[in-house]
Amino acid sequence: MDEIRKTCLYDKHVALHAKMEPFAGWLMPIEYSGIIAEHTAVRTKSGMFDVSHMGEIRVKGPDALRYIDYVTTNEIASKPDGKVVYGMMLYPNGTVVDDLLTYKVSATELFLVVNASNVAKDYAWLVEQTEGFDVVVKNLSDEYGEVAVQGPATEALLRTIMGIDLSDLEAFTFKHVWWDGHDLLVSRTGYTGEDGFEIYADPVATNVVWDILAASTEILPCGLGCRDTLRFEAALPLYGHEISDEITALEAGLGFFVKLEKPDFIGKTVLVDQKAGALKRKVVGIELTERAVPRAHYEVYAGETKIGFVTTGYLSISAGKPVAMAMLDLAYTPLNTPIQVQIRNKKIPGFVRDKKFFKKSYKPKGDKANE
Amino acid sequence: MNKVLDGILYNPTHEWAQIHDGVATFGITAFAASQLGTVVFVDLPAVGAKLVQNKEFGAVESVKAASDLIAPLSGTVVEVNDDLVGDPEAINKDAFSAWMIKVKMTAPAELNALLTPDQYRAVSK
């Protein structure tokens, strides 16, 4: 195993007495003041996350758009510059290499943000697919830190604390902000289900941004613990759970981000078949009717028949209910289908439900991701 | 912070047992509670359940993780702290007051296998 890595903000977390744990090869803050307080801060006001472990990859060249629309599931070519698009890279069998955000800088330059756990694999995969395309792929992960600031009060707080106006930035767009002598790439994106921003910058600038935000005491430092409970409640997928190299994009229920009408992209053939009726299973929401905690990998039953497994589940912090996402055989996916989750030696009853695990308090304009 | 009470015995797996007239009261230690973080759910056996030393008898769960409860001693459950099921965070407030179950011991010789407070202090450093 490679040596565990530390982000450029590591010393800040130690100074804040964060609980640090290994995640995806990085020593990351899991919680500072407590997962429930941090989760609630993001839902009601604002929280800040060090997500410098995420990978950044640049694609540059005359064929950049044709290339990206071949290696990812969504459609970038027709989008305006400054747009951010969620999509997936697939293997030819339709399972997922990784999910990613594509930042359209121009018709010849794209900035990709990928999962920390997959950076090396993604970079190698992307390079491998360049044959026949006039593009250069470069892994920039070591050059960037990233701070995510999330929650309904974030836009106003960033104006007050940093003096930057982001009111013109629609959901899923980005711009460069010159701030205090630093070049910040700021997008109105996130992984929490709340309005918010992600700020990419070199490690020095990342530290300056973190310091000024942390010093304000208006924005609560938040760890990866609540990042997961927040993204779960928003039904956002996590690689290794709802998506993986054993789960296709349609099985994951992410068809909205797969443009099957595109002439070609890696994995298309299998997904077209699945869309036409070959789909055997998919990720749905479930809710238990007794208090218990349905966790990832627990088996799901209909009577004595095993029908799937939990991909992510919690006693929801926002709703206080035992809810989960689960991969179930298609016959058991209609709403209200009774199911049971095996938790230790008991089968806890529940039912299939939608994946709207919390009520969104504020919907930024232009947000198409959660429709 | 990680206090260890005198006058009771400990499992290396961070349960405590207080013995009185052949009945043992079980809970988890302050050290275990601090490692877990905020407890959101406790899964306890019913009155009448038979426990076996070193076997799982329930679970205590934080937001992020489920942790098995391991029986310090064998016996029959005679009382369950139902208040704790409704207020699991009481374990974080005072783990040694937040008892879980009372068990009528069936093999008192098993007491020899448990850790003394001093031995547990060394384990939970």
Side-chain angles (χ1 to χ4, degrees), chain B residues 65-109:
Chain B
S67 184
D68 283 345
L69 295 164
I70 305 298
L73 300 160
S74 302
T76 305
V77 178
V78 293
E79 196 177 343
V80 176
N81 185 357
D82 291 323
D83 291 346
L84 197 58
V85 176
D87 178 25
E89 217 180 321
I91 293 168
N92 299 101
K93 289 176 193 130
D94 185 355
F96 293 104
S97 301
W99 65 276
M100 294 176 169
I101 53 174
K102 296 190 182 195
V103 173
K104 188 164 173 41
M105 292 164 56
T106 48

Side-chain angles (χ1 to χ4, degrees), chain A residues 86-102:
Chain A
Y86 175 82
M88 284 156 281
M89 297 187 274
L90 304 182
Y91 292 108
N93 70 1
T95 66
V96 182
V97 179
D98 202 2
D99 62 346
L100 76 164
L101 292 177
T102 299

Side-chain angles (χ1 to χ4, degrees), chain A residues 50-356:
Chain A
D50 175 15
V51 282
S52 301
H53 61 318
M54 299 292 283
E56 293 83 13
I57 294 172
R58 187 173 62 208
V59 175
K60 216 170 172 176
D63 290 339
L65 295 180
R66 196 166 63 85
Y67 168 80
I68 200 69
D69 280 344
Y70 174 68
V71 295
T72 66
T73 57
N74 214 322
E75 204 270 338
I76 315 291
S78 69
K79 301 289 193 302
D81 294 353
K83 189 77 185 155
V84 185
V85 179
Y86 175 82
M88 284 156 281
M89 297 187 274
L90 304 182
Y91 292 108
N93 70 1
T95 66
V96 182
V97 179
D98 202 2
D99 62 346
L100 76 164
L101 292 177
T102 299
Y103 288 62
K104 187 173 182 184
V105 179
S106 72
T108 58
E109 185 174 344
L110 307 163
F111 182 78
L112 315 182
V113 180
V114 303
N115 283 302
S117 53
N118 292 334
V119 177
K121 177 184 81 173
D122 292 351
Y123 176 65
W125 176 258
L126 285 162
V127 169
E128 211 179 299
Q129 311 312 319
T130 57
E131 203 184 316
F133 296 97
D134 187 0
V135 291
V136 175
V137 176
K138 193 168 183 215
N139 184 357
L140 304 177
S141 300
D142 291 343
E143 297 173 28
Y144 282 93
E146 184 190 347
V147 176
V149 195
Q150 302 278 301
T154 302
E155 184 192 310
L157 286 167
L158 291 182
R159 186 183 305 119
T160 317
I161 299 163
M162 292 177 70
I164 58 176
D165 179 11
L166 300 170
S167 59
D168 60 332
L169 206 56
E170 291 194 358
F172 287 88
T173 64
F174 72 96
K175 65 177 181 180
H176 282 269
V177 176
W178 280 100
W179 175 79
D180 198 23
H182 300 288
D183 175 20
L184 311 180
L185 193 169
V186 183
S187 59
R188 195 162 203 147
T189 52
Y191 194 48
T192 59
E194 295 297 328
D195 186 25
F197 301 87
E198 294 180 291
I199 304 171
Y200 305 84
D202 66 62
V204 172
T206 299
N207 271 272
V208 178
V209 169
W210 179 274
D211 284 345
I212 192 172
L213 296 180
S216 77
T217 71
E218 295 288 324
I219 302 177
L220 195 67
C222 292
L224 295 189
C226 78
R227 188 169 157 84
D228 198 57
T229 56
L230 289 159
R231 71 91 195 162
F232 161 72
E233 287 182 353
L236 300 170
L238 173 63
Y239 196 85
H241 290 255
E242 287 71 35
I243 51 175
S244 75
D245 59 7
E246 297 179 337
I247 297 172
T248 74
L250 293 187
E251 289 174 336
L254 298 172
F256 182 81
F257 307 100
V258 179
K259 303 304 177 200
L260 289 175
E261 64 277 15
K262 284 197 296 183
D264 194 18
F265 64 90
I266 301 171
K268 179 179 172 179
T269 314
V270 171
L271 295 192
V272 166
D273 285 351
Q274 289 193 334
K275 174 94 177 176
L279 194 69
K280 297 273 187 291
R281 57 179 194 165
K282 80 176 176 191
V283 171
V284 294
I286 60 173
E287 179 171 334
L288 302 183
T289 47
E290 283 176 20
R291 199 172 166 86
V293 192
R295 296 187 186 275
H297 313 303
Y298 286 3
E299 295 178 341
V300 182
Y301 287 83
E304 294 304 306
T305 311
K306 193 188 156 195
I307 58 167
F309 59 94
V310 172
T311 56
T312 306
Y314 284 108
L315 208 50
S316 162
I317 293 174
S318 298
K321 291 178 184 171
V323 285
M325 290 189 274
M327 177 68 82
L328 300 187
D329 294 345
L330 204 62
Y332 300 93
T333 54
L335 289 178
N336 299 315
T337 303
I339 53 97
Q340 301 90 42
V341 177
Q342 180 81 44
I343 302 182
R344 290 176 288 278
N345 56 357
K346 289 175 229 165
K347 285 199 172 82
I348 308 292
F351 58 92
V352 175
R353 55 161 287 168
D354 62 51
K355 292 189 279 186
K356 291 170 188 142

